Amino acid sequence: MPTPVTAPLTREAILASLATRTMGRSLRLLDITTSTNTAAIDAALSGAPDGTVIVAEQQTAGRGRLARTWISPAGRNLYVSIIVRRLPMMDRLGWLPLIAASAVAAAIRSLADLQPSLKWPNDITLGGKKVGGILCESQALGTDAACVVIGIGLNVNWLEPEMPPEIRPIATSLAEQSGAPVDRVRGLAALLLELERRVDQWRTAEITSLTEEYRADCGTIGQLVRVDLTTGAQVEGTAVGIEPDGALRIVAQKGSTLADHIVRSGDVVHLRSR
Ligand code: BT5
């Protein structure tokens, strides 16, 4: 009999499915927590090793960027945080959330016949709706204890009628898009495998192929966009590329002149394609 979509995640099933070298081999599976990122930061401060993974069935205070909420109902989706130590040069740090988004996109492609698109910086979308998001939080940068926690939320078997009305127009899930339930254990194993490969390369080797992969999957490039900057200001223009440090380059028309804007943090709204 197929596993019911609501079957709880188990440690045994996850460890049996993992194909990673280290990521997830140290695993904490929680029934309920405030935020897996908070749990991972606490674990990191207590010395949890590189590659430790915290997974929860439900989050009561799941976080997005800029203190926003990540809606995290029980038993449907994946809420995962990964501790990454042995960080490379600071100028690569900005790429980590983007590379994590590429890993989620690759995992989705390996699980179902779906074509995800990335919205800069790190939204994973299907059919123009958000299926996943990434929140990276760093600790003790510049010290021997430095680490980054990569938090990943991925909507798996959450169906539209179950979603709160306020996010129905903008959110989707793998099951909603593919028309069939997806095994969350397989999903988690695929995600960690794709992430481990990329984090290994990001840490130790040339990253051009990772940055090219991100650019290829990024649906923001070439779009007319509005960016709501964290300062409260807005920029409208055409997104023309990703800078060497992961920032978004926008060309805005001001009267008869063109002005370049480099955006390091903010929210992008796709207005229409050029
Ligand atoms: C993100 O923030 O997209 C980052 C989300 C990271 C969540 C993971 S879950 C595991 C780990 N533990 C945590 O506490 N967090 C991480 P942002 O770009 O700020 O997007 C947040 C916005 O997405 C919200 O304001 C809603 O509009 C929308 N949203 C909230 N929950 C959603 C969901 N489940 N699916 C799709 N969209 C959602």
Side-chain angles (χ1 to χ4, degrees):
M1 210 166 83
T3 316
V5 294
T6 51
L9 297 167
T10 65
R11 218 187 134 67
E12 295 67 37
I14 295 170
L15 291 175
S17 298
L18 273 186
T20 52
R21 202 184 61 258
T22 54
M23 201 174 272
R25 300 284 163 189
S26 160
L27 175 71
R28 299 186 193 181
L29 176 58
L30 308 171
D31 199 32
I32 185 164
T33 189
T34 51
S35 152
T36 55
N37 265 31
T38 305
I41 290 167
D42 289 349
L45 291 172
S46 314
D50 176 60
T52 297
V53 168
I54 315 260
V55 182
E57 281 284 7
Q58 182 180 5
Q59 298 184 120
T60 54
R63 293 200 296 273
R65 294 174 305 132
L66 311 168
R68 286 185 293 233
T69 299
W70 188 254
I71 301 170
S72 310
R76 292 287 188 269
N77 302 326
L78 286 170
Y79 316 111
V80 189
S81 297
I82 302 107
I83 297 174
V84 178
R85 298 194 184 273
R86 295 186 287 119
L87 304 178
M89 304 286 281
M90 287 293 281
D91 61 359
R92 284 195 181 187
L93 273 191
W95 273 100
L96 190 58
L98 311 191
I99 284 167
S102 291
V104 177
I108 291 173
R109 284 192 289 263
S110 77
L111 290 165
D113 185 17
L114 293 170
Q115 288 310 321
S117 173
L118 304 178
K119 181 154 87 78
W120 187 92
N122 45 29
D123 280 2
I124 301 100
T125 69
L126 284 170
K129 290 176 156 192
K130 185 156 169 167
V131 70
I134 314 274
L135 174 66
C136 284
E137 297 181 296
S138 53
Q139 280 293 313
L141 290 184
T143 74
D144 287 349
C147 76
V148 176
V149 167
I150 305 175
I152 301 175
L154 179 64
N155 300 333
V156 182
N157 292 320
W158 202 23
L159 297 179
E160 203 178 303
E162 301 171 317
M163 297 176 186
E166 68 273 18
I167 68 159
R168 258 180 233 160
I170 58 155
T172 191
S173 69
L174 300 186
E176 195 64 61
Q177 293 289 317
S178 68
V182 172
D183 181 347
R184 287 186 299 154
V185 170
R186 254 186 81 217
L188 178 60
L191 207 151
L192 294 178
L193 184 62
E194 297 292 350
L195 187 64
E196 181 176 76
R197 284 185 188 146
R198 286 166 180 79
V199 169
D200 280 350
Q201 188 179 344
W202 169 79
R203 188 146 48 196
T204 58
E206 170 58 50
I207 64 165
T208 312
S209 62
L210 295 177
T211 61
E212 287 311 314
E213 177 190 43
Y214 180 83
R215 289 186 176 94
D217 280 346
C218 182
T220 303
I221 299 168
Q223 297 263 349
L224 184 64
V225 297
R226 188 189 75 229
V227 187
D228 299 328
L229 300 170
T230 39
T231 56
Q234 290 186 335
V235 181
E236 201 171 300
T238 304
V240 291
I242 310 288
E243 295 293 285
D245 66 353
L248 182 68
R249 177 182 288 266
I250 291 175
V251 175
Q253 180 116 32
K254 234 186 179 179
S256 57
T257 57
L258 295 175
D260 267 5
H261 292 271
I262 306 296
V263 178
R264 293 213 155 68
S265 75
D267 277 312
V268 171
V269 180
H270 291 179
L271 299 174
R272 64 181 156 78
S273 306
R274 273 277 152 102

